Amino acid sequence: MSLHTESIAPGVRLHTLPADKFNRCRVSIHFRIPASRAAATDHALLPLVLERGYAACPDMTALSRKLAKLYGADLTVTTSMQGACRVLSVSVSGIKDEFALEGERLSAEYAALAFGVAFEPYFENGEFSAEAVRIEKATLARQLESEINDKRLYCVRQAQRRFFGDSPAGVARDGYLEDLPAVTPASLTAAYQNILETASIDVMALGLDVAAVRARLAAALEGLRRAPAPLPGFVAMPAVPAEHFEEKLDLVQAKLCMLFTMGGAADPDRLDVYRMAMCVFGGLPTSRLFVNVREKQSLCYYCASRLTAASACMMVDSGVEPANAQKAEAAILAELKNLLEGPIAPEELENARLALRSGMDSVGDSLASLENWYFGEIMRGGRVSSPQEAAARLEDIGADQVREVLKQFTLSVSYLVTRKEETHG
């Protein structure tokens, strides 16, 4: 199964996959813009407001009825961060045309819905509804205020704030609580219109009538003022002396997050090697961190590594007993050193290959995972590979390449959220 791409207009591309084995289809519109700290909270609020309805279905009741009429179609509007880029995504999925009971042209209906939400929002007096903005501001405020309730997530985000500082790669996906009061229907509308004008737009059509999607895309672009902004490529934080932070809260299990930088941008063409390196180091139950730090030394409840290639950041996060936090950090660093200086057993590499191949084989099990794979390939730039092509390249990756990747990482930030000391009166 290969992806077909056609350029529709400057900064606008249509990507299609047949997805013949599925009885469902999916259309998505992805807007990519450079991350902006100033507009981050407006950008974070947009999906919540857009998902409430659009011009043809101006409220949630009308929209729910529309989705139900389309045999229970699904609509999602999300935002994500990819390095120094923000992505706003609108997706609609449902059953294919041939399964409609009365011969309805469902592809056209799905396209109309997706492009309606993305390009024809419900406005009152030329702006987003004040009531919708008020309601969703309260929703986002609750979400931001509840971050501290998930101590693992809280620790990771606190570490990332120190690691990225003011870098565009550190812009918060969910915005900033202190900026929320300043968000208005006017500011949200201005942020949305800026996205329409400056974003790179990737439309993905999986298993539905491509002509219907192409027609809706052309209609959406007609009369729209466009000046696509250049998108930043892969970025990196510079190598700096490691900083250690500690925060004490009411908890039982301490959380430790260690962030490493490559010091320079990752190579988009070496993602296969990066994946192998993460699996060997800390991405699997057979990895060094799991086997040695968790199982043999019993220094943590969980311990895993993962790499965000777009920002050249490797994260190791772990749940530990407060008394074992320093030992766990030392053990994690020791395992990295051992990988760089000692042997890597053939079975370690084979376990990594097997796990990665299994994951790549399962990409084709759902439309969402297929889209995630190919859109990830699109965002990194260069040649787009299928999961099968990426899996085949794993065979050529050996211990020396794994070491070459891991030796680039240096610890920048270690953040520990631990237990308050008990006081006795």
Side-chain angles (χ1 to χ4, degrees):
M1 187 183 300
S2 59
L3 187 75
H4 174 72
T5 297
E6 57 183 297
S7 178
I8 302 297
V12 182
R13 293 182 296 178
L14 174 61
H15 313 275
T16 58
L17 272 175
D20 294 328
K21 77 173 188 178
F22 297 98
N23 59 15
R24 294 177 65 82
C25 57
R26 181 180 176 94
V27 57
S28 296
I29 305 154
H30 300 287
F31 300 90
R32 288 188 287 158
I33 57 172
S36 165
R37 170 63 180 85
T41 308
D42 285 283
H43 291 159
L45 190 65
L46 261 177
L48 301 178
V49 175
L50 289 174
E51 208 168 31
R52 295 177 63 88
Y54 63 109
C57 293
D59 56 51
M60 297 179 73
T61 300
L63 182 57
S64 295
R65 287 174 178 164
K66 177 74 171 179
L67 293 169
K69 186 177 179 181
L70 295 175
Y71 302 91
D74 296 316
L75 165 70
T76 59
V77 188
T78 61
T79 186
S80 61
M81 297 297 299
Q82 300 290 334
C85 288
R86 180 179 286 272
V87 184
L88 175 69
S89 302
V90 178
S91 300
V92 174
S93 60
I95 63 172
K96 287 183 174 177
D97 290 12
E98 55 263 40
F99 299 105
L101 296 178
E102 298 180 4
E104 301 98 320
R105 295 181 63 245
L106 294 176
S107 290
E109 294 280 2
Y110 300 146
L113 176 56
F115 283 95
V117 170
F119 289 92
E120 302 166 12
Y122 173 64
F123 281 167
E124 294 177 351
N125 300 317
E127 297 177 347
F128 284 106
S129 160
E131 178 70 2
V133 172
R134 181 189 65 79
I135 291 171
E136 298 308 336
K137 280 176 66 174
T139 301
L140 184 58
R142 289 193 297 271
Q143 179 181 327
L144 290 168
E145 289 166 346
S146 67
E147 177 189 282
I148 197 169
N149 295 332
D150 184 336
K151 299 301 188 292
R152 181 176 185 179
L153 175 64
Y154 177 75
C155 181
V156 168
R157 289 187 173 174
Q158 287 289 80
Q160 290 172 334
R161 288 171 184 129
R162 271 63 177 184
F163 179 82
F164 288 111
D166 295 330
S167 166
V171 171
R173 181 197 67 183
D174 299 328
Y176 301 86
L177 189 61
E178 64 268 26
D179 293 351
L180 201 50
V183 175
T184 64
S187 72
L188 192 65
T189 303
Y192 165 74
Q193 290 174 339
N194 179 260
I195 289 175
L196 291 188
E197 180 178 341
T198 65
S200 290
I201 303 173
D202 291 281
V203 178
M204 303 197 71
L206 288 77
L208 74 172
D209 181 0
V210 177
V213 177
R214 192 183 289 110
R216 280 290 174 176
L217 176 55
L221 294 174
E222 188 175 355
L224 188 65
R225 186 176 65 179
R226 292 275 297 153
L231 292 173
F234 281 16
V235 298
M237 299 307 295
V240 295
E243 290 190 275
H244 289 73
F245 300 89
E246 183 175 312
E247 185 173 355
K248 295 183 178 180
L249 299 173
D250 290 323
L251 48 73
V252 175
Q253 184 187 117
K255 308 298 179 184
L256 174 65
C257 180
M258 302 167 65
L259 297 181
F260 301 73
T261 182
M262 294 179 80
D267 182 349
D269 293 326
R270 302 198 72 203
L271 291 185
D272 307 308
V273 184
Y274 300 148
R275 292 178 181 127
M276 281 281 288
M278 289 306 102
C279 285
V280 171
F281 180 42
L284 297 174
T286 57
S287 69
R288 292 288 181 94
L289 294 183
F290 190 95
V291 171
N292 294 330
V293 180
R294 182 186 187 275
E295 296 294 295
K296 292 183 179 179
Q297 299 181 63
S298 300
L299 288 175
C300 59
Y301 298 98
Y302 61 86
C303 189
S305 68
R306 63 179 181 268
L307 170 67
T308 304
S311 54
C313 174
M314 179 174 73
M315 179 176 74
V316 176
D317 80 308
S318 182
V320 300
E321 285 290 334
N324 287 337
Q326 291 185 348
K327 292 180 181 178
E329 179 176 323
I332 290 166
L333 293 173
E335 289 306 320
L336 180 57
K337 187 173 187 288
N338 290 339
L339 275 173
L340 299 181
E341 298 177 356
I344 299 176
E347 55 266 29
E348 292 181 271
L349 296 170
E350 187 57 26
N351 286 334
R353 268 190 284 269
L354 287 171
L356 287 169
R357 281 200 300 261
S358 177
M360 291 169 181
D361 287 344
S362 68
V363 165
D365 291 347
S366 75
L367 290 172
S369 60
L370 270 172
E371 181 181 329
N372 288 340
W373 173 272
Y374 280 106
F375 187 52
E377 289 285 294
I378 291 165
M379 285 192 292
R380 75 176 175 85
R383 181 177 178 273
V384 173
S385 296
S386 69
Q388 293 73 28
E389 289 169 331
R393 291 196 295 266
L394 298 174
E395 301 303 320
D396 298 326
I397 299 172
D400 289 342
Q401 291 162 287
V402 168
R403 285 195 194 92
E404 183 185 354
V405 165
L406 292 175
K407 74 180 181 182
Q408 298 177 62
F409 289 103
T410 57
L411 179 65
S412 291
V413 170
S414 177
Y415 201 98
L416 175 67
V417 177
T418 190
R419 184 171 56 217
K420 291 180 178 179
E421 287 91 352
E422 295 181 2
T423 58
H424 302 282

